[in-house]
Amino acid sequence: MLYSAEFIVPAVFLFFAIMLVPRVRVWLRLKSLRFRKGGVFFMERGQGAATFRPIFEEAERAMEALGFEHCCTSTVTPLWTSEPPKQIMAFAHKQAMAFAIVLPPTIPNGKVPFEVHFQTLFDDGTVLSTVDGISLSIPAYPDWFKLEDPGVGDYIKQWEAHQNSCESRESNPMPATIENYMELERRFGSETIPNMEARGDLIHADEPFQWRLTSSKAWALSMQMIKGEQNMMAQAQTVAAPQTRFSGNALMAAEIAAYDRHQKAEEFFSSGSQGKIGRFILSAAAFVAAFTWLWSFENALLLLLVIFIHEIGHYLAMGLFGYKNRQVFFVPFLGAATMGAKDDATIMQRVWVLLGGPAPGLLLGVICMLLFFHTHNDFMLMLGAMFLVINYLNLLPITPFDGGKILDALFFDRFPRAQFFFFLGSIFILASCGLLLSEPILLFIAVIFSFGIKAKWRQGSLAKKAMAALPPKAGEAITKKVVFKTLQEDAVGNGPYSQRLRLANTLIKLLGAPKPTQLELVKGALIYVGVLILPLIIVLLFFLQNANIATP
C-alpha cells in the first residue's frame, strides 16, 4: 500500500503543492501589480500628515548629527499601485555631495523610527543609492539607478558604506542641490517604466496608462521578494540599539505607519480576482491530494463538494451584508475558510454570516437522507451523512468551529480571560473526542491549536490592558495608539514584527468592533440555539414517526 501509485502520486503532488504555495502566492500578487509613472509633489517644511511628524523630527535630529541639512519635503507617488502616496523628507550633505532620503520604515525594528536611503548623483548620469536590508523588496528601478545594500542594520554604518562606495567610483559626484534632487525625482518617475519596458520586464496592462510585469519576470521576482521580506524581518529583529535614543512617540508612529501601509497593501491584493482564483484552485487541488492520500479520490471529491457548499454559504452571506474582498480557500487535512472584511459589521450580521455555512449544508443533508429513504440509494446515504455530520459539527460551541465563533462574537470577545478558558476547553473536547472516536482529524486539529495556547493567553492579557486604557467612544486613530502603546509596554514590543502586526490587527479589530446591545445578544443567542437544536428535533420526530409506522 505504501508504495502503490494510489499513495505515492497524491503524496508527491501534495508535497510540491505545499512547497509552492508561498511562491505562487507572491507570483499572483506580482502579476496583479500595476505600474504607473511616478510623480512628486513638493511641500513647505512642516506640511504633511501630522502622524508622521514625530518620525521626521527624530530623523532630522539624526541626519543633522551626520552633517546633513534639510533640503525639501515632498509626497511621492510610488511606481506600483499597491502603495498609496508616501511622504518623504530629503536632506543634503553639501561637503559629501549626497542626499539622505528619509521615510517611515517598511518594517519597523522598535529602535529607529525611520528608514533612510543615501543617494549620490554622478556626472555620467548614474545614481548610487545605498539602502539597508530592503534591496530585494524593491521590484522596479532603471538601469542607471545603482542599488547597494550593505545590510548593516545601522544607519551610521550605512552612511559610511555609502561614502566608501562613492570614493571607489571613477565618475565625479554632482553637487547636492535642491535642483539636482528635483531632477533625480523627475528622472526616476518618468524613465523607470520606459526603461523596464525596453528590457522586456513590463508590458502594457488592460487599464489605460498602466503596465504590468510579464509572467516570467513576476516568477523570477517572486523568490527574490520572499527572500527580501525574510531579510527585512531578520534584520529588524537583530538590529543593535543605536547611539541616539529616539522618542517613544516616534517609534509608535513608525509602527502605526507600517501597519497602515501593510493593511492598504493587503486590501489591494485581496481585491484582485486573479489571485483569489489562483489561490482557490491551488488550495483545492492540495486539499483533494491530502484526503486522497488519507482515504480515496472519490471520497476526497465528495468532501470537497460538501465543504465547498458550506463555504459558499458563508461567501453569499458576506455578500448580502456588504463584506469586501471575499475569498474562499481550502486547507489540506483541515477544511476550508472564507475570508471577508467589514470593520463595522454588527453582532447580528456576524451571527448570520457564521450560520450561513452550516444551515444550507444541514438542509441539503436532510434532503439527501429523505431521498435515501425513498430510493435506498447508498450514495444518497453517504452524501447526506457527510452533509449532516460536517455541518452539525461546525455548529457545536467549540473553537475553531462556526458555533465557537458565534459564542466568541456574542460573549467572549468582551471577556478575554473567559475567551482563553473557552479556547482551552475546546482543545480538550476536540482531543477527547478524537481519542474516543479514534478520529485522527479531530486530534490533529487539537494538536495544531494547542501550539497557540501561549499566544492566546498573551493576546487575552494584551486585550484586557488595551480595553482598560481605551477611552469611551474612541475613534480609529486613538484605538491604534492605545493598541501600539500596549504592545510597546509588553515584551512582545521587542518580538518579531510579524507577531506584533498579527496582534495589532487582532486587537484593533476587537476594540473597534461595534458594541452589541442587550437585545442583539438575546436575539443572536436564541437564533443560534434554535439552529443548533432544530436538526435534533427533526431527527427525533423522524425516528418517532418511523417507530410508530413499524409498530403493528
Side-chain angles (χ1 to χ4, degrees):
M1 169 63 184
L2 290 179
Y3 298 100
S4 67
E6 186 180 356
F7 178 87
I8 295 174
V9 172
V12 171
F13 178 83
L14 180 64
F15 172 78
F16 281 105
I18 293 173
M19 293 296 290
L20 283 173
V21 161
R23 186 165 185 180
V24 171
R25 176 175 174 269
V26 175
W27 176 67
L28 290 171
R29 287 190 166 203
L30 290 170
K31 284 268 293 175
S32 66
L33 200 61
R34 293 296 180 264
F35 291 78
R36 66 202 166 189
K37 291 188 177 180
V40 58
F41 172 72
F42 291 93
M43 302 180 293
E44 294 292 331
R45 189 172 185 176
Q47 284 186 327
T51 52
F52 295 151
R53 197 164 296 150
I55 298 173
F56 289 123
E57 286 175 354
E58 293 293 283
E60 186 165 9
R61 184 164 63 92
M63 293 302 105
E64 285 177 350
L66 294 179
F68 288 85
E69 58 186 49
H70 180 266
C71 177
C72 62
T73 302
S74 61
T75 298
V76 175
T77 302
L79 294 173
W80 36 95
T81 56
S82 62
E83 289 192 12
K86 58 176 67 175
Q87 186 174 333
I88 66 173
M89 187 175 282
F91 298 87
H93 199 299
K94 304 294 185 182
Q95 184 178 356
M97 291 186 281
F99 296 103
I101 317 301
V102 171
L103 64 159
T106 305
I107 292 182
N109 54 39
K111 299 180 179 69
V112 179
F114 55 84
E115 180 181 300
V116 59
H117 304 186
F118 294 107
Q119 296 180 352
T120 298
L121 291 72
F122 292 90
D123 57 8
D124 61 358
T126 60
V127 174
L128 175 65
S129 180
T130 303
V131 296
D132 193 14
I134 67 167
S135 59
L136 293 178
S137 299
I138 301 176
Y141 50 89
D143 291 335
W144 50 263
F145 194 83
K146 309 300 180 184
L147 203 62
E148 290 194 358
D149 190 343
V152 289
D154 183 324
Y155 68 90
I156 296 177
K157 293 179 180 177
Q158 179 189 350
W159 169 233
E160 292 171 354
H162 181 78
Q163 289 178 294
N164 292 335
S165 295
C166 289
E167 290 174 2
S168 65
R169 293 176 66 92
E170 296 181 358
S171 47
N172 298 314
M174 301 286 287
T177 62
I178 189 170
E179 292 79 14
N180 281 340
Y181 176 74
M182 293 173 69
E183 175 63 14
L184 166 62
E185 289 289 357
R186 184 201 66 77
R187 284 186 67 197
F188 192 88
S190 63
E191 296 180 16
T192 302
I193 299 295
N195 189 278
M196 293 185 66
E197 192 175 13
R199 293 202 307 254
D201 295 340
L202 294 179
I203 56 177
H204 277 279
D206 295 332
E207 300 85 350
F209 308 110
Q210 291 190 10
W211 290 259
R212 64 176 178 84
L213 290 166
T214 62
S215 296
S216 58
K217 182 63 177 178
W219 183 254
L221 274 176
S222 59
M223 186 54 69
Q224 174 188 314
M225 300 297 284
I226 291 172
K227 290 180 179 178
E229 185 172 3
Q230 291 171 346
N231 288 350
M232 286 192 295
M233 292 285 189
Q235 183 165 305
Q237 187 63 21
T238 58
V239 64
Q243 298 176 7
T244 305
R245 185 175 178 82
F246 297 104
S247 71
N249 285 339
L251 294 171
M252 185 168 64
E255 295 275 350
I256 294 174
Y259 171 82
D260 288 340
R261 174 183 175 274
H262 179 271
Q263 292 301 106
K264 287 174 181 175
E266 285 299 312
E267 184 177 349
F268 171 84
F269 287 118
S270 298
S271 63
S273 59
Q274 189 179 55
K276 294 177 186 177
I277 294 171
R279 192 177 302 116
F280 174 81
I281 292 173
L282 183 63
S283 64
F287 178 90
V288 170
F291 283 97
T292 299
W293 187 58
L294 287 177
W295 298 332
S296 68
F297 181 68
E298 293 78 10
N299 286 339
L301 285 181
L302 276 182
L303 185 61
L304 180 79
L305 173 66
V306 171
I307 292 180
F308 174 71
I309 291 174
H310 175 101
E311 298 303 330
I312 282 298
H314 289 309
Y315 185 90
L316 294 176
M318 286 182 179
L320 184 65
F321 294 115
Y323 280 66
K324 298 179 181 178
N325 301 330
R326 295 171 296 155
Q327 56 181 308
V328 177
F329 59 90
F330 291 87
V331 182
F333 298 111
L334 292 178
T338 302
M339 308 295 289
K342 188 180 181 184
D343 294 335
D344 59 347
T346 65
I347 286 293
M348 289 309 301
Q349 288 175 347
R350 291 172 64 187
V351 170
W352 284 120
V353 165
L354 288 166
L355 289 175
L362 289 171
L363 180 61
L364 287 171
V366 170
I367 293 172
C368 289
M369 296 303 286
L370 291 174
L371 288 172
F372 164 72
F373 284 115
H374 281 85
T375 64
H376 301 287
N377 186 310
D378 290 340
F379 177 76
M380 284 293 113
L381 174 63
M382 182 170 62
L383 186 61
M386 198 175 284
F387 267 118
L388 290 173
V389 170
I390 289 175
N391 285 283
Y392 196 79
L393 184 67
N394 259 280
L395 271 180
L396 295 178
I398 301 171
T399 297
F401 300 144
D402 292 327
K405 292 175 183 177
I406 289 173
L407 288 189
D408 278 337
L410 290 173
F411 305 111
F412 294 123
D413 278 352
R414 294 179 304 286
F415 305 102
R417 281 285 180 262
Q419 188 177 48
F420 170 78
F421 288 108
F422 175 60
F423 177 78
L424 208 61
S426 296
I427 293 174
F428 176 76
I429 292 171
L430 285 171
S432 301
C433 290
L435 289 171
L436 290 172
L437 302 174
S438 299
E439 181 51 66
I441 292 180
L442 293 179
L443 275 174
F444 182 62
I445 295 173
V447 170
I448 291 295
F449 275 80
S450 67
F451 289 117
I453 291 175
K454 182 178 179 182
K456 193 71 175 179
W457 175 263
R458 169 162 281 179
Q459 178 184 312
S461 301
L462 293 169
K464 189 175 179 180
K465 290 179 185 176
M467 286 177 179
L470 190 70
K473 298 181 179 179
E476 184 182 7
I478 299 297
T479 301
K480 288 178 184 177
K481 286 183 179 180
V482 168
V483 167
F484 281 101
K485 183 171 175 37
T486 303
L487 295 178
Q488 263 188 349
E489 293 171 351
D490 190 83
V492 73
N494 296 319
Y497 174 67
S498 57
Q499 182 185 23
R500 300 201 304 274
L501 181 67
R502 185 172 59 253
L503 280 169
N505 193 37
T506 301
L507 295 176
I508 289 170
K509 286 181 178 178
L510 179 64
L511 270 62
K515 301 297 183 288
T517 64
Q518 291 296 324
L519 180 60
E520 285 180 319
L521 293 177
V522 172
K523 283 170 60 178
L526 289 175
I527 291 169
Y528 170 60
V529 171
V531 175
L532 186 65
I533 65 173
L534 184 60
L536 298 178
I537 294 173
I538 292 173
V539 170
L540 180 62
L541 291 174
F542 177 80
F543 278 108
L544 287 175
Q545 184 179 4
N546 281 335
N548 292 332
I549 293 172
T551 303

